[in-house]
Amino acid sequence: MNAPLPDVPEVRVVGLPQLTQGFDLVERLDLAMHLKVHGPLEPMNGERLAQLADDISLRGRGGAGFPFGRKLRSVAKSAIRRGVRPVVVINGSEGEPACRKDTVMLNRSPHLILDGALLAAEALGARTLIVAVTRNSTEISIRAALAERGLSDRRGQSLRARVVRTPERMVSGEASAVIRAASGGPALPPGRRERAAESGVGGAPTLLSNAETFAQLAVAARIGARRYGHTGLDTEPGTVLLTLSGAVARPMVVEVPSGVPLRYVLQLAGAPPLPQGVLTGGYHGNWIDSMAVHNAVVSRESMAAVGGSLGAGAILPIGPETCPLGEALRVANWLAAETAGQCGPCRLGLPAAAGGLSDVLNGGGPAALEALREVTQAVKGRGACKHPDGSARFFASTLSAFTDDLAAHVLDGGCGRPTTGVLPLPSPGYQDAEESIPSGERLAVDWTLCQGHGLCADIVPELIRLGPDGFPALADASVPMHLRGRAQRAVRRCPALALRVEQAPQERPAALPALPAVNRKALGSGRG
C-alpha cells in the first residue's frame, strides 16, 4: 500500500516557473532570497487590485473557484457600509491526504503568499492578518516568515498577524471552519451558512482565500496582467499547481501552464500509460477514464467538459491491477470518519453510504446497489457544510465511472482483483502521533479561588480533565501552539478567575529558527 504523502514531495515545473521560481536555488526562500528572486512589490488601491484579479481571471485555488475580484469588492463594500475594519485570512489548511500544493508553497515560498495577502490587507485597510495551517512544518515556516517581516500579534502594530492551527481533517479546511477556529472556536463548520464577506472572523467582514490564490495575486501584481496572460490559456491564464499521487512512480507537486495536456502531466509523474481511471479534484472530485484523460487539458473548463474536476488540484491515477471499487471503499470509509457530526447527512448518511458500498463489494447484489444509490441521493444538498455534497459526488462518480467492475461485483460476486491501496490515506493514529509545537506556556490553577465549575474542561479538554472530586486536573505539559487560543479562552471564561496561563519553566517558546529582529517590510518595499 502507498505510504502517506510527505509534507513536501518532489516539485517539478513545466515551462517557466512563476510560483516555484527560486526552488532550484534553495529549499526555502527566506525574505532576503525572496526579494532577490521576485523583487519588491508596490501597494495597490482596492479597485486597482480587484481589476487586476478580474483581468487575469483569478479564481480561488482551494476548490470552490470563486472569482477573487468579486470577493475583494464584496468585503470592501461590507466594511465601508458597516464602518468596520476587515480581516484577511490565508487558508493554508490542507487536511486532504491527496493535497500538498499549499503545504509546499507555505514551506518553500511563504513570502510569496504573504505578499498577496498583505497586498489585499493594505488595499482593504485591514488591521488583522490570520494564517491557518494544519501541519508542524507549515506552522514553523510561516511563523519564521512573519518574524522575518517583523510581524506579530502584539498590540500597537498597524497590522497584527497571527497563526491559527487547525486539525489535519477534511472538514477543518472548509472556509467556515477556518473562520470559526480563527474566532476562538473549534475548527468545524458552524452548521449554518454565512457569507464571510459580511460576517467572518469576530463578526467582521473577512477576505478568506486559499494560499495559492494569494501567491498568484502576488505574481500578477509584479509582472502585470498582460505579461501574466502570456502564459497558459486566454480564458484561464497563468499556471496551476497540481499534486500527483496514487499509481505514480514519483508523487510530486508540479507547476504547469493551463492548457498543458493532462496525459503529459501524468506521464511526467510516471503514471500507467493506460490508467484504469483518474480521480480529479481530490476526494471530493470526479473519476475520468483513459479516453477522457487523452482529451483533457489542465483547465477548469476542459476538465469539467470530460466529466472531471480541477478542484483543489489533486490528480490520482490508478492502474489496471487494483480493484477500483475497493480503492473507492477505502476513501469512502475515510470520508465517513471525517464527518463533523453536526447534521444527519454527514453523521448518518456518509457511514451508511460507505457501508452500502461495502455491501456491494461483498456480494449484496442488486438490492445493495439500489440501497447505495438511494442513500447517496439522500445526502446531496442537505448538509450543514460542503463535506456531504463533496462525498456524495465522489460516490456517484465511482458508480458511473466503473460500470463493468460494478456489474462484476453485483452479478458475479467480484472482479477478481485485489485492492492494492494506491490512493494515499493517513496512517492509523496519525493525529495522535503528530508532535505539536509547544508554546512555552502552561495552564495553572489558583486553588484558593477554584470552585470546580468545570467550564475550562469543556473548552479545552485536551489539557484539562475533571477529577473524581469534580475539580480540574491539568496536563503537566506546555500548551501546544494550536491549542493556545482555546487555553486563553478558558482563562477568560473561568467564573472564579482561578485559571491562568503562565510561562512554563525551563522551556523555550515555539521551535522556530533563530531570527534577528527586523523592521516590518510588509510588501518587500518597506511599506505595509
Side-chain angles (χ1 to χ4, degrees):
M1 288 192 179
N2 274 13
L5 292 177
D7 279 12
V8 183
E10 177 186 357
V11 178
R12 300 286 294 274
V13 61
V14 175
L16 295 176
Q18 292 187 353
L19 300 175
T20 59
Q21 192 175 355
F23 281 22
D24 58 331
L25 303 175
V26 291
E27 283 299 307
R28 178 183 180 276
L29 280 74
D30 61 13
L31 183 58
M33 179 59 76
H34 166 74
L35 292 175
K36 285 181 182 178
V37 169
H38 292 284
L41 181 60
E42 294 296 323
M44 294 184 183
N45 64 42
E47 182 50 40
R48 186 179 165 207
L49 190 62
Q51 188 59 53
L52 172 67
D54 291 344
D55 291 342
I56 64 170
S57 303
L58 181 60
R59 290 177 173 266
R61 301 299 178 94
F66 194 83
F68 186 85
R70 282 173 53 192
K71 187 184 294 187
L72 187 68
R73 290 187 181 94
S74 182
V75 172
K77 289 178 182 177
S78 180
I80 292 170
R81 185 180 70 253
R82 294 176 53 192
V84 176
R85 291 278 189 181
V87 176
V88 174
V89 178
I90 300 171
N91 187 0
S93 296
E94 209 166 32
E96 185 171 344
C99 293
R100 286 294 185 274
K101 66 182 183 67
D102 291 329
T103 300
V104 163
M105 289 300 297
L106 286 162
N107 273 278
R108 299 198 60 181
S109 191
H111 288 286
L112 194 63
I113 298 166
L114 288 176
D115 275 348
L118 291 167
L119 199 63
E122 177 116 342
L124 291 169
R127 292 294 177 261
T128 302
L129 171 66
I130 298 170
V131 188
V133 297
T134 55
R135 298 183 176 90
N136 283 348
S137 60
T138 48
E139 183 173 357
I140 290 171
S141 177
I142 202 67
R143 285 187 183 279
L146 292 174
E148 287 168 341
R149 291 176 181 253
L151 293 171
S152 73
D153 197 26
R154 289 192 297 269
R155 293 187 180 183
Q157 296 198 102
S158 58
L159 178 74
R160 296 177 66 175
R162 59 188 172 94
V163 179
V164 171
R165 180 73 173 265
T166 60
E168 196 171 333
R169 296 191 59 201
M170 189 77 159
V171 295
S172 298
E174 207 236 11
S176 63
V178 171
I179 287 173
R180 194 176 180 190
S183 300
L188 295 172
R192 62 187 182 280
R193 302 197 179 185
E194 295 182 344
R195 293 182 66 244
E198 295 289 337
S199 180
V201 177
T206 299
L207 176 70
L208 181 146
S209 209
N210 167 264
E212 184 195 340
T213 312
F214 283 115
Q216 294 282 3
L217 185 68
V219 168
R222 279 186 168 89
I223 66 177
R226 183 184 296 273
R227 185 175 159 197
Y228 186 95
H230 289 165
T231 300
L233 300 169
D234 291 340
T235 53
E236 299 179 37
T239 63
V240 178
L241 285 179
L242 302 173
T243 309
L244 281 92
S245 63
V248 297
R250 299 175 302 279
M252 64 177 61
V253 168
V254 58
E255 182 182 11
V256 300
S258 61
V260 167
L262 180 59
R263 63 182 183 277
Y264 177 77
V265 177
L266 290 168
Q267 182 183 355
L268 184 68
L274 290 173
Q276 183 177 186
V278 177
L279 183 58
T280 60
Y283 294 157
H284 277 177
N286 296 296
W287 290 98
I288 59 175
D289 60 20
S290 294
M291 183 61 70
V293 169
H294 183 78
N295 294 328
V297 301
V298 177
S299 79
R300 290 183 182 277
E301 184 178 349
S302 175
M303 300 281 269
V306 298
S309 169
L310 190 57
I315 307 293
L316 302 101
I318 59 172
E321 68 285 344
T322 190
C323 171
L325 299 181
E327 294 289 346
L329 178 59
R330 294 176 62 245
V331 175
N333 287 329
W334 178 80
L335 289 170
E338 288 295 288
T339 171
Q342 298 182 138
C343 67
C346 202
R347 183 169 54 87
L348 303 175
L350 297 188
L357 183 56
S358 178
D359 290 343
V360 169
L361 264 69
N362 291 309
L369 177 58
E370 184 59 30
L372 173 58
R373 292 188 193 280
E374 287 182 6
V375 71
T376 300
Q377 188 64 34
V379 164
K380 274 201 249 179
R382 297 177 55 210
C385 71
K386 297 176 183 177
H387 183 52
D389 286 351
S391 301
R393 185 182 309 116
F394 172 80
F395 280 107
S397 176
T398 299
L399 296 182
S400 63
F402 302 108
T403 53
D404 291 346
D405 295 271
L406 197 60
H409 279 277
V410 171
L411 302 176
D412 299 330
C415 65
R417 286 172 293 180
T419 300
T420 58
V422 297
L423 300 181
L425 290 172
S427 299
Y430 73 102
Q431 289 173 316
D432 296 333
E434 186 179 68
E435 181 182 354
S436 296
I437 299 174
S439 67
E441 298 173 340
R442 66 192 307 166
L443 288 169
V445 174
D446 184 339
W447 296 110
T448 64
L449 297 175
C450 182
Q451 299 173 13
H453 291 95
L455 289 177
C456 53
D458 292 334
I459 296 172
V460 60
E462 296 89 342
L463 300 175
I464 304 173
R465 298 282 190 272
L466 295 184
D469 56 359
F471 282 81
L474 306 185
D476 185 21
S478 176
V479 175
M481 289 300 300
H482 69 283
L483 293 179
R484 192 164 175 257
R486 284 165 59 195
Q488 291 170 341
R489 182 176 166 217
V491 170
R492 294 193 299 268
R493 293 287 299 276
C494 179
L497 304 180
L499 191 66
R500 66 180 183 273
V501 174
E502 61 183 26
Q503 192 71 19
Q506 298 180 345
E507 281 194 25
R508 293 183 178 273
L512 295 174
L515 294 166
V518 294
N519 293 327
R520 177 180 176 225
K521 299 181 180 66
L523 297 172
S525 60
R527 283 179 283 181

